[in-house]
Amino acid sequence: MSDANGTNDDTESDDDFDTGLLEEELRQAAAVLDPLPPALLQSAVDAYALHDLDARVAELTFDSLVDALPVRGATDAPRLLTFTAGEVMLDVEVTEQGLIGQVLPPGPVRVELLGGPQPAAALTADDMGRFTAGTAPSGPFALRLRTGDDVVVTEWLRV
Amino acid sequence: MRTGSVPSAAYHDVPYTRGGTVERSEIGALVRSAVDGDAAAWKAIVEGLGPLVWSVVRAHRLSDADAHEVYQTVWFRFAQHLGRLREPEKAGSWLASTARHECLKVYRNARRLMLTDDPHVLDRVSEDGSPEQSLLEAEEAAAQSERVRRLWQEFEELGERCRQLLRVLIASPPPSYQEVSAALDIAVGSIGPLRQRCLRRLRARLESRGAA
């Protein structure tokens, strides 16, 4: 391995060769010292179950973390999110206490909180499309809305 | 003696091809198969591009908890968008760019930002005995292991820009320059020259420590 540093020719191509070897050596070091954890690899394999051709994706169109001016001194300001799928809009507010949301246009809706490929948790929703969850999502989450035959899932996100 | 060649041409001579076990040209076909319900194609995508996503996340110095969640979020979102990708053959760039954006959100969320100067990265050798490690230990002497540690330590102490670039470049299989560009938001044309500079700097550090 010491030949990565053993030559002192300073032509371009030898320099390229040396850096190429060094990069490869570094790649091997990364594979040993900072590998992709097998559990994470598996969770990505399992994520295939989240592939759902029938649901429409509601894109994140507003995120207070990115789109709003920071509030000075407000260390636990709620995270405000807006998702949009065609005519359907969804406003969500996440705090440490939990999550509240409003589906627009207002109306009866069934809402589920997804945390991964595992089964979703149904949230309480009223006839005006308002819903709440008593705990904040930990880790990646998405919301699935059902109105009649229409299914909308928000873009996966973490807060 | 430096020849007159332009530095940007330097990387063309790198003695291996980038875009390893899953041929990048096959990614588009794999994505289409996965959309059609082929779970094996999905697995091949994950195995081919998972290390790239991991490298992008690790390049951004998040806490382990954040790194793991960002990694998952990226793949969950990719699964969700699978059938809607405009350019399936560029799935690697999509993943790299999504990972970058999620990492930047962690930075913004200052409460959660924890700079990991990560002394325990070095300890991981003893913490989890990965197959690579056992292989390494078995095949090479302790001196070699020590060299790997020292190499990694010098790498960790490089300037932030070099450390980030190299961490993405050393994903296995090696990413394409388009993917690196998406991962770090730098121009494709500047990656080669920067790579040369950073590797030369790393080598100089190793030599000055007598590690050569």
Side-chain angles (χ1 to χ4, degrees):
Chain A
M1 282 293 184
S2 63
D3 52 345
N5 301 303
T7 51
N8 279 320
D9 277 303
D10 45 10
T11 61
E12 277 294 328
S13 64
D14 279 357
D15 187 44
D16 288 350
F17 187 69
D18 281 356
T19 52
L21 284 179
L22 184 57
E23 183 186 320
E24 191 50 41
E25 208 178 334
L26 197 55
R27 177 169 297 111
Q28 286 166 14
V32 175
L33 296 173
D34 192 19
L36 170 61
L40 277 189
L41 178 71
Q42 189 56 45
S43 81
V45 171
D46 296 341
Y48 188 49
L50 299 171
H51 164 228
D52 179 357
L53 289 175
D54 300 327
R56 293 194 290 148
V57 176
E59 286 180 23
L60 181 65
T61 49
F62 175 87
D63 182 344
S64 58
L65 192 61
V66 177
D67 303 311
L69 289 172
V71 182
R72 186 174 284 273
T75 52
D76 55 355
R79 179 93 171 259
L80 307 176
L81 308 163
T82 301
F83 301 92
T84 310
E87 74 296 344
V88 177
M89 272 178 63
L90 176 64
D91 286 323
V92 180
E93 182 176 326
V94 185
T95 63
E96 276 164 28
Q97 285 73 46
L99 174 155
I100 57 174
Q102 166 77 63
V103 182
L104 297 166
V109 62
R110 281 185 296 152
V111 185
E112 294 161 292
L113 180 62
L114 310 179
Q118 65 273 23
L123 301 186
T124 320
D126 67 14
D127 287 346
M128 299 300 290
R130 291 172 295 209
F131 58 90
T132 56
T135 51
S138 62
F141 80 98
L143 293 160
R144 183 158 59 204
L145 316 179
R146 297 175 194 273
T147 51
D149 292 338
D150 192 26
V151 183
V152 172
V153 180
T154 62
E155 273 194 305
W156 281 91
L157 193 78
R158 63 190 288 270
V159 290
Chain B
M1 269 283 273
R2 199 154 283 271
T3 61
S5 65
V6 287
S8 61
Y11 58 83
H12 292 309
D13 295 328
V14 174
Y16 52 83
T17 8
R18 293 197 164 269
T21 49
V22 171
E23 284 298 325
R24 294 302 195 247
S25 56
E26 289 173 12
I27 288 287
L30 286 173
V31 169
R32 281 181 280 270
S33 298
V35 171
D36 291 340
D38 182 349
W42 171 262
K43 193 158 183 257
I45 296 169
V46 169
E47 285 171 352
L49 293 172
L52 168 64
V53 176
W54 181 243
S55 280
V56 177
V57 171
R58 298 308 273 179
H60 285 87
R61 280 198 187 273
L62 310 180
S63 71
D64 279 357
D66 282 332
H68 287 209
E69 287 187 15
V70 165
Y71 181 90
Q72 288 184 310
T73 304
V74 169
W75 282 102
F76 290 0
R77 202 182 298 168
F78 182 69
Q80 180 175 48
H81 283 84
L82 196 57
R84 302 171 181 86
L85 295 181
R86 277 189 217 125
E87 300 177 287
E89 66 282 358
K90 291 189 183 162
S93 296
W94 191 100
L95 287 161
S97 157
T98 302
R100 172 175 173 269
H101 281 113
E102 286 305 304
C103 289
L104 294 183
K105 281 195 182 187
V106 177
Y107 286 170
R108 283 172 185 268
N109 205 349
R111 278 173 304 153
R112 303 188 67 153
L113 176 65
M114 291 199 304
L115 278 171
T116 51
D117 271 326
D118 242 2
H120 59 275
V121 163
L122 296 172
D123 294 341
R124 247 177 241 154
V125 177
S126 47
E127 276 173 17
D128 35 287
S130 63
E132 290 90 339
Q133 189 208 343
S134 338
L135 202 69
L136 185 95
E137 305 274 38
E139 285 178 358
E140 313 274 358
Q144 173 59 17
S145 167
E146 180 54 33
R147 178 177 163 79
V148 170
R149 273 170 188 273
R150 208 178 314 169
L151 173 63
W152 196 252
Q153 189 168 352
E154 292 297 339
F155 157 74
E156 286 279 341
E157 288 168 9
L158 279 176
E160 198 52 24
R161 193 173 169 163
C162 275
R163 202 195 59 83
Q164 259 195 348
L165 175 69
L166 292 181
R167 188 64 190 84
V168 175
L169 279 168
I170 61 174
S172 182
S176 71
Y177 281 170
Q178 282 74 28
E179 289 161 350
V180 176
S181 165
L184 298 172
D185 197 27
I186 54 180
V188 169
S190 65
I191 295 170
L194 271 175
R195 169 188 170 279
Q196 288 291 100
R197 274 175 70 117
C198 293
L199 286 169
R200 277 200 298 263
R201 192 175 299 172
L202 176 60
R203 190 175 53 201
R205 290 184 67 111
L206 285 166
E207 282 169 357
S208 74
R209 300 283 172 103

